[in-house]
Amino acid sequence: MKPKVNDEYKNYKQFIDNYFSVFELNKRISDEKIKEEFEKVVVLSKVCRCLSDDEKIGNYTRNIEYNLNNILYFMPMNEKLSINTSLRNSAEYVLKLIFYFQDTTEDFLTTGYRTLKNNKNSLSIYSNHKSQIDGIFDIYARRSNIIHLKAYDNDSLKFILEDKLMSEIDIREISKITRDINKLTNILLEAICFYGISLATSQKLILKKVVSNKWWKRICQIR
């Protein structure tokens, strides 16, 4: 975990301790799997923040950031439906941003998932990164399909609400979320390089603090 991300992690731990002290996440916040998920969320969020200086690109990245922040917000409450919805939305806006990189004269903010999927072959990046692009469409579809509503035998409202708040954290699901977010980050960075999205020196310096040296060197080669 890079120092910049580690500082954010310390702040998040303090946030959990202040507002969710009796929840399970507060007891497990130092688990490596949870730390890894936090790191992946923050890295993608910081990449989006660096792109947001461009007003039109910012229309897409702000939606991604908003949903990523929601993932961290809903984590201590173990709100699976909301977490899945936020992750699905993040994938959708990453796809829309890549389509915008392809054609900056068009507005893809309101374009539907089905239309994006039907037109994926129009992306220049698709031929070289087919599996990665298909993987993002898969995240959207899979996260839509696994949004389940839990049935309760006890119909007491107090029981239902307490059960939602105090249920155990599913570490296996944490790992799956981490992998999905990592896929979103990698294809977005790949798209930045592929389409030659130029960044200011200040933005590159921010990225240096959160992405790997390999990615940062590739981004610095963009002219």
Side-chain angles (χ1 to χ4, degrees):
M1 187 179 286
K2 292 208 170 189
K4 177 66 175 177
V5 180
N6 192 53
D7 289 342
E8 297 282 16
Y9 176 68
K10 291 177 181 177
N11 291 334
Y12 186 62
K13 286 179 67 176
Q14 186 63 53
F15 166 76
I16 298 297
D17 191 49
N18 288 343
Y19 296 100
F20 302 98
S21 57
V22 300
F23 293 9
E24 191 197 0
L25 189 65
N26 188 53
K27 305 170 188 175
R28 306 189 64 172
I29 187 66
S30 296
D31 283 9
E32 288 304 313
K33 294 294 184 182
I34 294 173
K35 289 174 67 175
E36 186 180 8
E37 179 184 348
F38 176 86
E39 179 180 12
K40 298 303 181 184
V41 169
V42 170
V43 169
L44 180 53
S45 180
K46 296 296 184 185
V47 172
C48 290
R49 179 60 59 89
C50 287
L51 292 171
S52 295
D53 281 0
D54 183 300
E55 182 179 354
K56 290 186 176 180
I57 291 178
N59 291 330
Y60 300 87
T61 55
R62 280 190 292 273
N63 277 288
I64 301 170
E65 277 193 90
Y66 174 78
N67 282 284
L68 291 172
N69 289 338
N70 279 349
I71 291 173
L72 295 180
Y73 177 75
F74 290 120
M75 268 180 62
M77 293 178 277
N78 206 16
E79 269 290 345
K80 296 181 178 65
L81 187 148
S82 298
I83 291 170
N84 275 290
T85 300
S86 299
L87 184 47
R88 181 191 64 182
N89 292 345
S90 297
E92 180 180 8
Y93 279 100
V94 166
L95 287 169
K96 290 180 176 182
L97 180 55
I98 293 173
F99 271 86
Y100 177 74
F101 287 164
Q102 174 76 29
D103 185 357
T104 57
T105 65
E106 294 291 330
D107 182 356
F108 296 95
L109 287 170
T110 59
T111 304
Y113 168 80
R114 181 57 56 185
T115 300
L116 295 175
K117 189 171 183 180
N118 289 341
N119 293 321
K120 63 184 179 181
N121 288 310
S122 68
L123 294 171
S124 301
I125 195 175
Y126 186 67
S127 58
N128 291 333
H129 301 281
K130 181 179 184 299
S131 62
Q132 285 180 280
I133 298 292
D134 285 344
I136 308 308
F137 281 104
D138 176 68
I139 290 173
Y140 180 96
R142 180 161 37 82
R143 290 293 163 182
S144 295
N145 290 336
I146 63 176
I147 294 174
H148 298 299
L149 297 179
K150 182 178 179 180
Y152 290 90
D153 294 327
N154 187 330
D155 63 356
S156 164
L157 179 59
K158 180 175 182 292
F159 173 84
I160 293 172
L161 295 179
E162 286 182 345
D163 183 73
K164 286 169 67 70
L165 290 176
M166 308 306 287
S167 58
E168 291 186 1
I169 300 291
D170 187 344
I171 292 297
R172 291 174 300 178
E173 180 57 23
I174 292 284
S175 296
K176 293 175 184 177
I177 292 171
T178 300
R179 288 195 295 270
D180 283 350
I181 295 172
N182 195 46
K183 288 178 182 178
L184 295 179
T185 303
N186 285 333
I187 193 56
L188 181 55
L189 290 171
E190 198 67 66
I192 291 171
C193 296
F194 183 89
Y195 289 105
I197 307 302
S198 182
L199 299 175
T201 300
S202 59
Q203 294 168 310
K204 292 177 181 177
L205 290 176
I206 293 173
L207 282 182
K208 186 177 183 181
K209 297 178 181 179
V210 295
V211 302
S212 68
N213 289 333
K214 177 183 175 182
W215 277 120
W216 188 69
K217 287 177 182 178
R218 287 187 62 187
I219 289 170
C220 285
Q221 292 172 358
I222 299 172
R223 294 291 182 265

